[in-house]
């Protein structure tokens, strides 16, 4: 049998709980005999000991608390299971685990900050447990009640107004916890808030300013004043150090000492009324906090005059450095003069240094303005030392002076200047590309960026070629380089401009003319143009054995396309079969006989002539002339082709033929003459040279004309005729506006078949040569 009943905890002892039966039977309780018993006669279940629900049911999570017991009935035997629910009553008051709660809160903590508090506990449950908290009245704090997941209540302390340790360093609060029983029970705890100091108070002096009278010549170490500053903070935040501010002059700091610990100001050196009457100082009191705060006070020390009479000068303001283009009448300094004496001893006169572009202008009593009286030029004088002298009117007078140094700042007022306005730079031909030609350095007397120069070539085109493709200049130092190899025979000179520009604002620049002259180098070998060689370098000539002494045998002519000096040609025999037979003019290349041929002389003579130029080292060309002597019968043929034009071509020849060949029949003479005429009209094919082989050109852009040679050699300046087997070689005067010389080869048939007047024939030949060369000119 199961029986359920309930009663509130802490019922009085002996209280009847349940009547199990009225019959007379034997009852006995089996379990929980400590708290319950049963009257066997009446069957009443009663309490033996006071019951405490909080003791019997420790867990606060359980909403009910039961005591279970079993009662046995003997006759008949029956067992009753009895559950007794113990109902909670508000028999426990809330209490805190600690009676006092200590909190340290910095005074710099912002309002709204939250602090956790220890919550109160109440063993009762339900409505008898803690219901709310109350905080004692405070303008700085409040609480906010929170509910946990298990339904428990706890409070957070809220800072609702910022703290100030200097106003209240400690806050005592009472926190009360109330349960929900009837009547309600409560428990309290003390909250002690200690406000932590922050360095939020600057030191303060007793007074903001002090005025102290001090007699001059006061003894060194004499106490002038003891300053006192206080700080409302505590600890290191309230410890104070005294010091001079930056607004305290060096003079004041030298004259008075300041004790950094106690604020005492004492005389440090002798005080002179005439030197200084008023000492203004600013004293700073600084606390020793990490983020220190400071307070200030001003101290004015008035020196009482005893006796002195030195004038005094003081620079109140100074503008230095100043720009060199500063306008005239601009004020660059303000000076004051004074004399601490009285009467005439205190009246002063002021001057500055002589012969300087500055002047003093009085602006007010004892104040003068130093102005610019003349234009300034830094390049002439970069700095001025201006000595200002003040003299009193005492007897004897005393004076004082002050020197002002005025430094001039550079402005970009100078154009870069080259040492020369025109540079002529000789450059040897065949120069290596990239060779340094010259260093064209300009000078700019300005400073810094106004002096930094950049060089560049002013662009110019020559025959569609840009100057920048021929030359390069280093923009930093003006070094001029050639970008290509030059050939004197092609390019003889260049003319262009180089500009130097500074880096000022605005920039200034100047340019210089550069004349590049290509110098000739002996890089061209002489070319032998006469006697003409159709193939190879051997020339075969035939001469009569009856040739007279001094007869012109051949003329060697060589030309060289180098300049005048390097093209000077000299001729020498490199090989001569008989040195006694032929001579060679080293200047004109004429080979003449030195004597007549004898029967001992070989019929074949070999002459090797070398034509050498005047260069260093010299270059040369050679020609080999093979001479074959023929009998007198051939003399007529030879003389018809090689007699100089100055004489009648056939007059002397007929004379020799008549004397030498008197016995020859008229028929043979006619046959020989006919043969000679045919030879003159139609040269042998094997001996004729191609027209193109008969032309040489030695200057660029010249027109190649058949049988015409253009040469620069001034050696052939004079007009002359050279006799050769192939014809006449004419060297003419220079062409107009140039230094070229025309050498033309006149065919053998031109004018040589005529037997009339030799002078007319010569003129006709020259005229034909001029007509041939007129196309080139």
């Amino acid at each position: 049998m199961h029986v359920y009943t309930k009663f509130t905890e802490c019922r009085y002892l002996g209280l009847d709980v349940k009547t199990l039966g009225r019959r007379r039977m034997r009852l006995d309780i089996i379990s929980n005999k400590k708290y319950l018993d049963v009257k066997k006669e009446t069957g009443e279940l009663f309490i033996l000991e006071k019951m405490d629900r909080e003791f019997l049911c420790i867990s606060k999570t359980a909403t009910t608390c039961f005591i279970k017991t079993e009662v046995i009935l003997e006759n008949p035997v029956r067992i009753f299971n009895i559950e007794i629910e113990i109902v909670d009553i508000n028999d426990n008051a809330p209490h805190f685990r600690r009676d006092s709660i200590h909190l340290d809160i910095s005074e710099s903590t912002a309002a709204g900050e939250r602090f956790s508090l220890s919550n109160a506990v109440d063993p009762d449950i339900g409505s008898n447990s803690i219901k709310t908290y109350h905080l004692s009245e405070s303008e700085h704090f409040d609480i906010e009640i929170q509910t946990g997941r298990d339904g428990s209540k706890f409070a957070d302390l809220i800072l609702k107004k910022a703290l100030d340790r200097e106003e209240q360093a400690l806050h005592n609060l009472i926190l009360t916890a109330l349960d929900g029983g009837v009547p309600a029970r409560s428990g309290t705890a003390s909250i002690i808030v200690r406000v932590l100091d922050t360095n939020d108070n600057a030191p303060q002096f007793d007074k903001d300013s002090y005025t102290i009278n001090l007699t001059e010549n006061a003894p060194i170490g004499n106490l002038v004043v003891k300053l006192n500053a206080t700080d409302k903070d505590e600890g290191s935040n309230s410890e104070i150090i005294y010091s001079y501010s930056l607004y305290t002059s060096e003079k004041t700091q030298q004259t008075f000492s300041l004790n950094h610990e106690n604020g005492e100001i004492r005389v440090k050196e002798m005080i002179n009324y005439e030197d200084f009457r008023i000492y203004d100082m600013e004293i700073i009191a600084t606390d020793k906090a990490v983020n220190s705060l400071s307070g200030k006070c001003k101290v004015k020390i008035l020196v009482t005059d005893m006796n002195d009479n030195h004038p005094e000068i003081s620079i109140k303001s100074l503008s230095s450095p100043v720009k060199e283009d500063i306008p005239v009448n601009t004020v660059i300094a303000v000076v004051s003069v004074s004399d601490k004496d009285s009467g005439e001893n205190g009246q002063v006169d002021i001057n500055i240094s002589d012969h300087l572009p500055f002047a003093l202008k009085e602006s007010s009593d004892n104040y003068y303005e130093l102005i610019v009286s003349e234009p300034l030029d830094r390049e002439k004088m970069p700095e001025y030392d201006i000595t200002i002298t003040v003299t009193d009117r005492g007897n004897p007078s005393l004076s004082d002076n002050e020197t002002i140094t005025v430094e001039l700042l550079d402005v970009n007022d100078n154009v870069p200047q080259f040492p020369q306005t025109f540079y002529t730079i000789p450059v040897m031909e065949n120069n290596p590309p990239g060779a340094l030609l010259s260093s064209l350095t300009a000078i700019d007397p300005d400073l810094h960026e106004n002096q930094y120069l950049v060089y560049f070539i002013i662009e110019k085109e020559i025959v569609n070629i840009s100057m920048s493709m021929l030359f390069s200049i280093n923009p930093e130092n003006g070094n001029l380089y050639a970008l290509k190899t030059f050939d004197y025979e092609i390019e003889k000179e260049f003319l262009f401009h180089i500009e130097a520009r500074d880096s000022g604002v605005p920039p200034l620049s100047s340019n210089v003319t550069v004349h590049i002259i290509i110098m000739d180098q002996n890089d061209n070998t002489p070319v032998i143009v006469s006697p003409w060689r159709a193939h190879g370098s051997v020339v075969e000539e035939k001469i009569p054995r009856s040739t007279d002494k001094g007869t012109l045998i051949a003329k060697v002519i060589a030309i060289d396309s180098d300049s005048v000096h390097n093209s000077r040609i000299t001729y020498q025999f490199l090989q001569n079969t008989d040195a006694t037979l032929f001579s060679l003019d080293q200047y004109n290349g004429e080979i003449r006989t030195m004597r007549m041929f004898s029967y001992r002389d070989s019929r074949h003579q070999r002459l090797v002539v070398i034509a050498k130029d005047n260069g260093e080292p010299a270059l040369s060309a050679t020609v080999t002339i093979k001479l074959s002597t023929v009998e007198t019968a051939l003399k007529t043929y030879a003389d018809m082709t090689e007699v100089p034009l100055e004489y009648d071509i056939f007059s002397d020849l007929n004379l020799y033929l008549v004397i030498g060949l008197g016995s020859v029949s008229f028929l043979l003479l006619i046959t020989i003459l006919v043969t000679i005429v045919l030879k003159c009209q139609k040269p042998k094919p094997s001996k004729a040279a191609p027209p193109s082989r008969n032309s040489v050109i030695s200057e660029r852009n010249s027109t190649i004309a058949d049988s015409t040679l253009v040469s620069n050699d001034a050696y052939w300046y004079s007009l002359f005729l050279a006799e050769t087997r192939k014809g006449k070689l004419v060297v003419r005067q220079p062409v107009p506006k140039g230094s070229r010389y025309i050498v033309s080869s006149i065919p053998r048939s031109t004018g040589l078949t005529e037997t009339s007047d030799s002078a007319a024939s010569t003129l006709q030949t020259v005229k034909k040569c001029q007509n041939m060369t007129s196309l080139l000119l």
Side-chain angles (χ1 to χ4, degrees):
M1 179 179 180
H2 182 80
V3 178
Y4 168 78
T5 185
K6 65 179 180 179
F7 62 93
T8 60
E9 60 176 331
C10 301
R11 292 286 295 271
Y12 296 108
L13 299 182
L15 180 63
D16 181 15
V17 178
K18 185 70 174 178
T19 300
L20 298 179
R22 296 293 182 180
R23 296 176 296 174
R24 291 183 175 272
M25 58 186 73
R26 188 179 178 187
L27 296 175
D28 196 5
I29 189 165
I30 300 176
S31 59
N32 280 323
K33 293 182 178 181
K34 178 179 180 182
Y35 297 101
L36 300 173
D37 201 359
V38 65
K39 288 185 179 181
K40 297 179 181 180
E41 294 81 6
T42 62
E44 293 177 344
L45 187 65
F46 58 92
I47 297 172
L48 294 178
E49 187 175 327
K50 180 180 178 181
M51 293 184 182
D52 188 353
R53 188 201 64 81
E54 288 75 28
F55 176 77
L56 295 175
C57 298
I58 299 175
S59 176
K60 289 182 64 75
T61 59
T63 56
T64 57
C65 181
F66 292 95
I67 293 180
K68 296 181 180 181
T69 186
E70 293 177 344
V71 177
I72 187 171
L73 180 63
E74 292 184 352
N75 188 18
V77 176
R78 295 182 65 185
I79 297 177
F80 293 90
N81 293 320
I82 301 175
E83 289 184 359
I84 301 174
E85 180 183 359
I86 301 176
V87 179
D88 183 53
I89 62 173
N90 191 24
D91 58 344
N92 291 282
H95 68 279
F96 291 89
R97 293 185 177 90
R98 293 181 295 175
D99 294 336
S100 61
I101 301 172
H102 293 271
L103 293 177
D104 290 337
I105 302 177
S106 173
E107 61 178 325
S108 63
T109 302
E113 190 71 20
R114 182 187 301 268
F115 303 92
S116 297
L117 299 175
S118 298
N119 61 314
V121 294
D122 191 333
D124 294 326
I125 63 174
S127 60
N128 294 327
S129 64
I130 295 175
K131 181 179 181 181
T132 188
Y133 293 89
H134 291 291
L135 183 67
S136 58
E137 185 68 24
S138 173
E139 63 174 328
H140 293 91
F141 296 98
D142 201 352
I143 60 171
E144 185 177 291
I145 301 173
Q146 305 287 340
T147 302
R149 292 182 179 179
D150 59 354
S152 60
K153 305 286 186 178
F154 56 91
D156 286 343
L157 185 65
I158 307 298
L159 180 63
K160 65 180 182 179
K161 180 182 178 182
L163 301 174
D164 188 349
R165 190 203 64 81
E166 288 69 38
E167 291 183 1
Q168 186 175 352
L170 198 66
H171 294 262
N172 291 311
L173 306 174
I174 302 298
L175 181 63
T176 302
L178 295 173
D179 62 21
V182 179
R185 292 176 175 266
S186 64
T188 61
S190 176
I191 300 176
I192 301 174
V193 177
R194 184 165 64 97
V195 182
L196 301 180
D197 182 54
T198 57
N199 193 32
D200 58 346
N201 289 277
Q204 291 185 345
F205 285 91
D206 296 343
K207 294 193 299 184
D208 293 335
S209 63
Y210 298 82
T211 301
I212 300 166
N213 293 317
L214 181 65
T215 304
E216 67 172 331
N217 300 325
I220 295 176
N222 183 59
L223 178 64
V224 178
V225 65
K226 186 179 186 304
L227 303 177
N228 181 55
T230 57
D231 194 322
K232 295 180 181 180
D233 294 322
E234 64 179 0
S236 61
N237 295 338
S238 65
E239 297 178 6
I240 296 175
I241 296 176
Y242 299 89
S243 62
Y244 287 117
S245 75
L246 296 177
Y247 297 101
T248 304
S249 67
E250 292 293 331
K251 172 66 176 175
T252 302
Q253 297 184 41
Q254 292 174 1
T255 306
F256 299 96
S257 65
L258 172 63
N259 189 307
H260 298 297
E261 300 297 330
N262 58 24
E264 290 181 352
I265 298 177
R266 295 180 179 272
V267 178
K268 187 177 180 181
E269 63 179 27
M270 293 298 296
I271 300 174
N272 194 331
Y273 171 82
E274 287 73 28
D275 290 341
F276 229 77
R277 296 182 183 181
I278 300 174
Y279 292 90
D280 289 314
M281 61 183 71
E282 187 177 63
I283 309 301
I284 298 177
T286 307
D287 58 35
K288 295 182 179 180
V290 176
N291 298 316
S292 60
L293 300 176
S294 60
K296 301 176 184 178
C297 80
K298 293 184 178 180
V299 178
K300 178 176 288 188
I301 299 176
L302 304 177
V303 181
T304 303
D305 181 41
M306 293 187 69
N307 187 23
D308 208 328
N309 46 4
H310 271 283
E312 186 176 277
I313 185 170
S314 175
I315 308 301
K316 295 302 181 182
S317 67
L318 173 63
S319 298
S320 179
V322 296
K323 290 186 177 181
E324 60 176 316
D325 61 348
I326 185 172
V328 175
N329 294 325
T330 301
V331 178
I332 62 171
V334 176
V335 299
S336 67
V337 295
S338 62
D339 193 320
K340 302 171 181 63
D341 293 331
S342 59
E344 288 189 354
N345 293 333
Q347 297 178 2
V348 296
D349 299 315
I350 186 169
N351 301 294
I352 72 170
S353 307
D354 295 333
H355 310 297
L356 292 179
F358 301 95
L360 278 172
K361 178 181 177 182
E362 187 173 4
S363 61
S364 60
D365 288 343
N366 298 327
Y367 278 88
Y368 295 83
E369 293 177 345
L370 182 65
I371 64 173
V372 178
S373 60
E374 299 175 15
L376 304 179
D377 188 349
R378 188 204 64 82
E379 287 69 38
K380 293 181 179 178
M381 182 68 70
E383 186 177 274
Y384 290 93
D385 290 329
I386 306 170
T387 300
I388 301 176
T389 303
V390 59
T391 305
D392 64 24
R393 298 178 182 177
N395 189 17
S397 63
L398 297 176
S399 63
D400 192 13
N401 60 68
E402 186 74 26
T403 299
I404 297 176
T405 299
V406 177
E407 180 184 354
L408 301 185
L409 293 177
D410 183 60
V411 296
N412 194 27
D413 58 347
N414 288 278
V415 176
Q417 294 291 333
F418 286 92
Q420 303 171 217
T421 58
F422 191 91
Y423 283 87
T424 300
I425 302 174
V427 178
M428 188 65 69
E429 67 172 328
N430 301 318
N431 58 291
L436 176 64
L437 303 183
S438 181
S439 182
L440 308 177
T441 305
I443 299 173
D444 193 324
D446 294 324
L447 292 178
H448 310 305
E449 65 275 1
N450 297 332
Q451 187 187 42
Y452 180 74
L453 302 182
V454 179
Y455 302 85
F456 54 91
I457 297 175
I458 298 178
E459 199 55 59
K460 177 182 178 182
E461 289 190 357
I462 299 180
V463 194
N464 297 325
I465 298 178
S466 172
M467 274 296 169
S468 60
M469 298 179 64
L470 302 177
F471 302 97
S472 172
I473 191 167
N474 188 314
E476 295 182 356
N477 56 27
N479 287 346
L480 184 64
Y481 299 91
L483 298 181
K484 60 166 288 186
T485 299
F486 298 109
D487 187 352
Y488 172 81
E489 286 69 40
I490 299 177
E491 300 154 318
K492 292 182 171 54
E493 64 179 6
F494 299 95
L495 192 68
F496 56 91
H497 299 282
I498 289 178
E499 181 173 317
R501 180 182 299 169
D502 62 30
S503 302
V505 178
L508 300 178
S509 63
S510 65
N511 57 60
V512 66
T513 302
V514 178
H515 186 200
I516 303 293
I517 299 177
I518 308 301
M519 305 297 293
D520 182 54
Q521 193 175 42
N522 193 29
D523 59 344
N524 289 280
T525 304
V527 177
I528 296 177
V529 298
S530 177
W532 180 252
R533 297 153 293 169
H535 302 284
S537 60
V538 178
V539 178
E540 294 183 0
E541 299 283 352
K542 292 181 180 182
I543 60 174
R545 288 188 66 85
S546 60
T547 300
D548 291 335
K549 175 183 177 181
T551 300
L552 178 66
I553 302 301
K555 184 175 181 67
V556 179
I557 299 178
I559 63 172
D560 193 320
S561 58
D562 290 323
S563 67
V564 175
H565 178 75
N566 291 327
S567 66
R568 297 281 185 183
I569 306 296
T570 57
Y571 305 90
Q572 296 176 354
F573 276 130
L574 196 61
Q575 182 178 344
N576 188 351
T577 304
D578 189 345
T580 65
L581 187 55
F582 300 102
S583 67
L584 172 63
D585 191 304
Q586 65 173 339
Y587 297 110
N588 60 22
E590 292 182 348
I591 301 175
R592 296 182 180 270
T593 56
M594 297 175 63
R595 58 177 175 83
M596 295 186 66
F597 287 94
S598 67
Y599 68 94
R600 295 180 181 180
D601 294 327
S602 173
R603 294 185 60 190
H604 300 284
Q605 300 288 330
R606 178 184 174 89
L607 304 178
V608 179
V609 178
I610 181 170
K612 185 183 299 184
D613 62 23
N614 197 36
E616 182 61 38
L619 301 178
S620 62
T622 61
V623 60
T624 301
I625 303 175
K626 289 184 179 181
L627 296 176
S628 300
T629 58
V630 297
E631 296 303 328
T632 307
L634 296 176
K635 179 175 177 60
T636 302
Y637 170 79
D639 288 344
M640 291 179 66
T641 60
E642 297 182 354
V643 172
L645 291 178
E646 296 93 86
Y647 305 97
D648 186 275
I649 298 176
F650 292 103
S651 59
D652 291 340
L653 177 61
N654 291 335
L655 178 62
Y656 286 115
L657 289 175
V658 171
I659 296 173
L661 302 175
S663 60
V664 180
S665 66
F666 180 74
L667 182 61
L668 179 60
L669 178 59
I670 295 299
T671 303
I672 293 174
L673 291 175
V674 171
T675 303
I676 292 173
V677 171
L678 293 176
K679 292 283 187 178
C680 293
Q681 292 179 352
K682 185 176 181 181
K684 294 180 180 181
S686 60
K687 297 292 183 176
S692 62
R693 301 283 292 179
N694 209 21
S695 301
V696 182
I697 185 166
S698 64
E699 180 163 324
R700 183 167 63 94
N701 297 331
S702 297
T703 302
I704 299 178
D706 187 29
S707 302
T708 302
L709 171 72
V710 182
S711 174
N712 292 330
D713 193 354
Y715 180 70
W716 297 307
Y717 184 83
S718 61
L719 176 66
F720 66 90
L721 299 176
E723 301 175 75
T724 67
R725 286 289 304 276
K726 302 297 184 293
K728 304 297 180 179
L729 190 69
V730 179
V731 181
R732 300 185 59 223
Q733 289 184 348
V735 300
K737 298 182 180 179
S739 60
R740 298 177 296 173
Y741 291 81
I742 306 303
V743 181
S744 299
S745 176
I746 304 175
R748 176 178 177 273
S749 62
T750 305
L752 298 181
T753 59
E754 301 177 2
T755 59
S756 59
D757 187 4
S758 61
S761 177
T762 302
L763 292 176
Q764 184 180 5
T765 303
V766 173
K767 183 177 292 186
K768 288 181 179 181
C769 179
Q770 292 175 344
N771 292 335
M772 292 173 63
T773 59
S774 63
L775 292 175
L776 177 62
L777 300 177

mmCIF file of all heavy atoms in Angstrom, residues 663-675:
data_model
loop_
_atom_site.group_PDB
_atom_site.id
_atom_site.type_symbol
_atom_site.label_atom_id
_atom_site.label_comp_id
_atom_site.label_asym_id
_atom_site.label_seq_id
_atom_site.Cartn_x
_atom_site.Cartn_y
_atom_site.Cartn_z
ATOM 1 N N SER A 663 120.506 57.197 -148.667
ATOM 2 C CA SER A 663 120.623 56.170 -149.700
ATOM 3 C C SER A 663 119.387 55.314 -149.886
ATOM 4 O O SER A 663 119.335 54.433 -150.726
ATOM 5 C CB SER A 663 121.815 55.244 -149.387
ATOM 6 O OG SER A 663 121.592 54.631 -148.129
ATOM 7 N N VAL A 664 118.410 55.588 -148.967
ATOM 8 C CA VAL A 664 117.189 54.774 -149.053
ATOM 9 C C VAL A 664 116.339 55.286 -150.196
ATOM 10 O O VAL A 664 116.192 56.490 -150.375
ATOM 11 C CB VAL A 664 116.417 54.810 -147.719
ATOM 12 C CG1 VAL A 664 115.160 53.964 -147.812
ATOM 13 C CG2 VAL A 664 117.322 54.307 -146.593
ATOM 14 N N SER A 665 115.774 54.423 -150.877
ATOM 15 C CA SER A 665 114.990 54.793 -152.054
ATOM 16 C C SER A 665 113.733 55.549 -151.675
ATOM 17 O O SER A 665 113.246 55.455 -150.556
ATOM 18 C CB SER A 665 114.609 53.533 -152.853
ATOM 19 O OG SER A 665 113.731 52.737 -152.061
ATOM 20 N N PHE A 666 113.264 56.365 -152.607
ATOM 21 C CA PHE A 666 112.080 57.169 -152.390
ATOM 22 C C PHE A 666 110.866 56.298 -152.155
ATOM 23 O O PHE A 666 109.981 56.634 -151.361
ATOM 24 C CB PHE A 666 111.858 58.065 -153.625
ATOM 25 C CG PHE A 666 110.644 58.940 -153.479
ATOM 26 C CD1 PHE A 666 110.659 60.052 -152.638
ATOM 27 C CD2 PHE A 666 109.472 58.672 -154.191
ATOM 28 C CE1 PHE A 666 109.559 60.859 -152.528
ATOM 29 C CE2 PHE A 666 108.381 59.484 -154.060
ATOM 30 C CZ PHE A 666 108.412 60.594 -153.225
ATOM 31 N N LEU A 667 110.878 55.137 -152.779
ATOM 32 C CA LEU A 667 109.745 54.236 -152.589
ATOM 33 C C LEU A 667 109.643 53.742 -151.156
ATOM 34 O O LEU A 667 108.545 53.641 -150.590
ATOM 35 C CB LEU A 667 109.849 53.053 -153.556
ATOM 36 C CG LEU A 667 108.679 52.040 -153.511
ATOM 37 C CD1 LEU A 667 107.358 52.738 -153.869
ATOM 38 C CD2 LEU A 667 108.935 50.882 -154.469
ATOM 39 N N LEU A 668 110.822 53.394 -150.587
ATOM 40 C CA LEU A 668 110.814 52.937 -149.182
ATOM 41 C C LEU A 668 110.345 54.046 -148.256
ATOM 42 O O LEU A 668 109.605 53.824 -147.288
ATOM 43 C CB LEU A 668 112.212 52.473 -148.801
ATOM 44 C CG LEU A 668 112.379 51.990 -147.339
ATOM 45 C CD1 LEU A 668 111.457 50.793 -147.074
ATOM 46 C CD2 LEU A 668 113.824 51.628 -147.082
ATOM 47 N N LEU A 669 110.755 55.295 -148.572
ATOM 48 C CA LEU A 669 110.337 56.428 -147.733
ATOM 49 C C LEU A 669 108.827 56.614 -147.769
ATOM 50 O O LEU A 669 108.179 56.859 -146.752
ATOM 51 C CB LEU A 669 111.052 57.695 -148.203
ATOM 52 C CG LEU A 669 110.689 58.992 -147.445
ATOM 53 C CD1 LEU A 669 111.009 58.854 -145.956
ATOM 54 C CD2 LEU A 669 111.437 60.181 -148.038
ATOM 55 N N ILE A 670 108.264 56.478 -149.047
ATOM 56 C CA ILE A 670 106.828 56.625 -149.169
ATOM 57 C C ILE A 670 106.116 55.515 -148.387
ATOM 58 O O ILE A 670 105.101 55.756 -147.700
ATOM 59 C CB ILE A 670 106.413 56.593 -150.655
ATOM 60 C CG1 ILE A 670 106.998 57.803 -151.389
ATOM 61 C CG2 ILE A 670 104.874 56.560 -150.777
ATOM 62 C CD1 ILE A 670 106.538 59.135 -150.847
ATOM 63 N N THR A 671 106.654 54.296 -148.456
ATOM 64 C CA THR A 671 106.028 53.169 -147.744
ATOM 65 C C THR A 671 106.044 53.401 -146.233
ATOM 66 O O THR A 671 105.046 53.162 -145.513
ATOM 67 C CB THR A 671 106.756 51.852 -148.072
ATOM 68 O OG1 THR A 671 106.727 51.666 -149.494
ATOM 69 C CG2 THR A 671 106.106 50.682 -147.360
ATOM 70 N N ILE A 672 107.149 53.883 -145.715
ATOM 71 C CA ILE A 672 107.247 54.140 -144.253
ATOM 72 C C ILE A 672 106.292 55.235 -143.825
ATOM 73 O O ILE A 672 105.631 55.158 -142.793
ATOM 74 C CB ILE A 672 108.691 54.492 -143.888
ATOM 75 C CG1 ILE A 672 109.607 53.281 -144.099
ATOM 76 C CG2 ILE A 672 108.784 54.963 -142.426
ATOM 77 C CD1 ILE A 672 111.086 53.591 -143.904
ATOM 78 N N LEU A 673 106.208 56.310 -144.672
ATOM 79 C CA LEU A 673 105.311 57.396 -144.314
ATOM 80 C C LEU A 673 103.871 56.947 -144.303
ATOM 81 O O LEU A 673 103.072 57.330 -143.440
ATOM 82 C CB LEU A 673 105.507 58.561 -145.293
ATOM 83 C CG LEU A 673 106.846 59.314 -145.182
ATOM 84 C CD1 LEU A 673 106.963 60.375 -146.293
ATOM 85 C CD2 LEU A 673 106.959 59.973 -143.814
ATOM 86 N N VAL A 674 103.482 56.146 -145.293
ATOM 87 C CA VAL A 674 102.108 55.630 -145.316
ATOM 88 C C VAL A 674 101.835 54.780 -144.089
ATOM 89 O O VAL A 674 100.760 54.832 -143.463
ATOM 90 C CB VAL A 674 101.856 54.844 -146.620
ATOM 91 C CG1 VAL A 674 100.511 54.127 -146.555
ATOM 92 C CG2 VAL A 674 101.907 55.784 -147.820
ATOM 93 N N THR A 675 102.805 53.950 -143.747
ATOM 94 C CA THR A 675 102.627 53.097 -142.547
ATOM 95 C C THR A 675 102.441 53.939 -141.287
ATOM 96 O O THR A 675 101.596 53.654 -140.428
ATOM 97 C CB THR A 675 103.835 52.169 -142.380
ATOM 98 O OG1 THR A 675 103.992 51.396 -143.573
ATOM 99 C CG2 THR A 675 103.639 51.265 -141.167
#
